[in-house]
Amino acid sequence: MHTHVPRPMSRGLLGFEIAAVICLFVLEPFFVALASLFATEWGEPSVAYDQTWLVARSFAVCVPVLYIMRRSGRAWEHFGITRPAFMDLWLGFLMYVSYVVWMYVFWYGVYFVFGSDPVEGAAELADSHRGHAYSSGEVFLILLGSLATGAMEELAARAYLIPRLTEWLRSQALAIVVAALIFASFHIYQGAWNTVAILGMGLIYGVAFVLLRRVWPLALGHALTNAILYLSE
């Protein structure tokens, strides 16, 4: 009977594994605790807590996902992780424009079909921060939180899920749909219609990922959308 002896891992890969585990159980509570110490200096605690939690959660997701990608045996390019280029900025802006166009089309379509706004009370949510004058520190945190969240969600929902679901389901189209459904599922707190709108955006971003095979434009477009939405409230 032969005993299987695993090959020793390289020091770099072992460090990556340790960092992934640390991110899973340490990073998020550490950043939230750190935010509580400096909340009064950063201004309104809710902004500091919200954005710091987003940054912490993003790191806590990104590092393990990157580790899983690394251990998959696939090249980084398979997951759309390529060398960043200047064109990613323009493509990222186009992704934001696609969001604006889709939202106009979707909500005008809903209004046309139903004859009235089907999401009464949604304005109350949008007005929750309206009139708030953000400090420079809060703006920095909002931009950082938006960038971190955009990168995290695109890395997991598009760069990882679509290639792996394509292999598992043996259908790229089905993989895009399933990834979009998963992406929309954790936005249900925004209400049914907003979730449907986000599902549509998930499909658009999924198709864009398949065509571009680059995650950077999606992450930048997502981050720009989040930042503008938050700062305009």
Side-chain angles (χ1 to χ4, degrees):
M1 181 176 181
H2 297 282
T3 302
H4 175 70
V5 179
R7 290 186 301 173
M9 297 173 65
S10 67
R11 191 165 182 269
L13 189 57
L14 180 59
F16 202 171
E17 179 183 291
I18 294 169
V21 173
I22 290 173
C23 283
L24 285 172
F25 79 99
V26 173
L27 197 59
E28 182 179 335
F30 170 75
F31 269 91
V32 172
L34 190 64
S36 68
L37 296 177
F38 295 95
T40 55
E41 295 180 20
W42 287 347
E44 183 180 345
S46 62
V47 175
Y49 274 108
D50 289 348
Q51 300 306 311
T52 305
W53 179 81
L54 288 175
V55 172
R57 178 175 177 270
S58 297
F59 273 97
V61 171
C62 284
V63 175
V65 170
L66 288 169
Y67 176 71
I68 291 169
M69 289 177 173
R70 174 67 177 79
R71 290 300 300 268
S72 72
R74 296 284 189 173
W76 290 114
E77 290 79 7
H78 179 71
F79 300 103
I81 302 176
T82 57
R83 185 183 298 275
F86 183 74
M87 69 174 182
D88 292 326
L89 296 175
W90 295 105
L91 291 172
F93 178 73
L94 289 178
M95 293 308 301
Y96 168 72
V97 172
S98 72
Y99 162 81
V100 174
V101 172
W102 163 246
M103 285 300 177
Y104 269 106
V105 171
F106 177 79
W107 288 113
Y108 273 111
V110 169
Y111 184 85
F112 177 79
V113 171
F114 290 91
S116 61
D117 187 354
V119 284
E120 293 180 8
E124 296 178 5
L125 178 62
D127 287 338
S128 58
H129 293 286
R130 196 175 299 280
H132 179 84
Y134 295 112
S135 67
S136 57
E138 288 174 333
V139 171
F140 172 77
L141 284 174
I142 291 168
L143 294 176
L144 185 62
S146 298
L147 184 60
T149 304
M152 177 268 291
E153 292 187 355
E154 294 309 318
L155 181 71
R158 250 69 69 175
Y160 174 78
L161 277 180
I162 290 178
R164 297 308 261 175
L165 284 171
T166 298
E167 295 179 34
W168 188 48
L169 299 172
R170 301 185 181 185
S171 169
Q172 192 171 71
L174 187 57
I176 292 172
V177 173
V178 173
L181 286 168
I182 294 172
F183 176 68
S185 69
F186 54 85
H187 291 86
I188 58 175
Y189 68 92
Q190 297 184 19
W193 285 108
N194 278 312
T195 303
V196 174
I198 291 169
L199 172 62
M201 276 309 305
L203 294 173
I204 293 172
Y205 267 57
V207 171
F209 175 77
V210 168
L211 294 177
L212 298 173
R213 213 63 181 188
R214 300 177 68 83
V215 72
W216 311 118
L218 279 64
L220 290 172
H222 197 147
L224 183 60
T225 299
N226 288 350
I228 290 176
L229 286 175
Y230 201 104
L231 291 171
S232 63
E233 288 178 348

